[in-house]
Amino acid sequence: MSSDDRDLGRVLENLLHRAPGTRHVLMLSRDGLKVGHSPGLDVDAADQLSAIAAGIAALALSASAEFGSGLGAGQAMVEFPGGVLLIVPAGEGAHLAVVAAEDADVGMVAHYMNEMVEQIGVHMTVAPRRPAASTP
């Protein structure tokens, strides 16, 4: 594990402790690859959450293009029995996702998420994947 990975892990864990009711924190690339996640979220669950969050973020972007006044999506939220999933843009090509308890103050959770993105969002940029060179 690199120093950058440990630093990101600490930042995500800090958000987990600062925002009451937060269960899991995940940073992902726009195309659904997990970049980092908080402790307590196993690798398979982090991969699944990353794919779900990327899909929801893509749907929110499509909705803004079709029904908004411009292209660009802010926060997305999905409520489900037992919890809520919040997704915010986090730097170029990245998103921050949080799973919180159903009784969590989603306004406060979103506030802490946005605060974290503002503080370190520049470091959360995820470069787009490039296609692999084909072999003849």
Side-chain angles (χ1 to χ4, degrees):
M1 179 181 280
S2 74
S3 174
D4 288 342
D5 291 339
R6 282 190 297 275
D7 290 345
L8 177 60
R10 277 193 287 272
V11 168
L12 298 176
E13 187 174 3
N14 185 41
L15 179 60
L16 183 70
H17 297 299
R18 287 186 70 203
T22 300
R23 291 186 189 152
H24 305 294
V25 181
L26 171 82
M27 184 171 153
L28 62 138
S29 66
R30 181 181 303 147
D31 59 355
L33 297 176
K34 72 177 179 300
V35 175
H37 57 89
S38 60
L41 186 61
D42 69 47
V43 173
D44 289 338
D47 286 337
Q48 184 178 23
L49 179 58
S50 190
I52 291 166
I56 292 167
L59 288 170
L61 184 63
S62 295
S64 77
E66 187 66 30
F67 302 106
S69 60
L71 183 62
Q75 303 175 125
M77 182 177 87
V78 177
E79 292 181 81
F80 48 87
V84 62
L85 171 62
L86 296 135
I87 306 154
V88 299
E92 186 63 34
H95 297 287
L96 181 64
V98 164
V99 175
E102 66 185 333
D103 61 348
D105 181 341
V106 293
M108 287 304 296
V109 173
H111 168 77
Y112 285 119
M113 290 173 74
N114 286 305
E115 187 177 79
M116 185 184 107
V117 169
E118 284 179 23
Q119 290 173 354
I120 66 166
V122 188
H123 305 289
M124 298 176 122
T125 299
V126 177
R129 288 188 286 172
R130 305 276 183 226
S134 59
T135 57

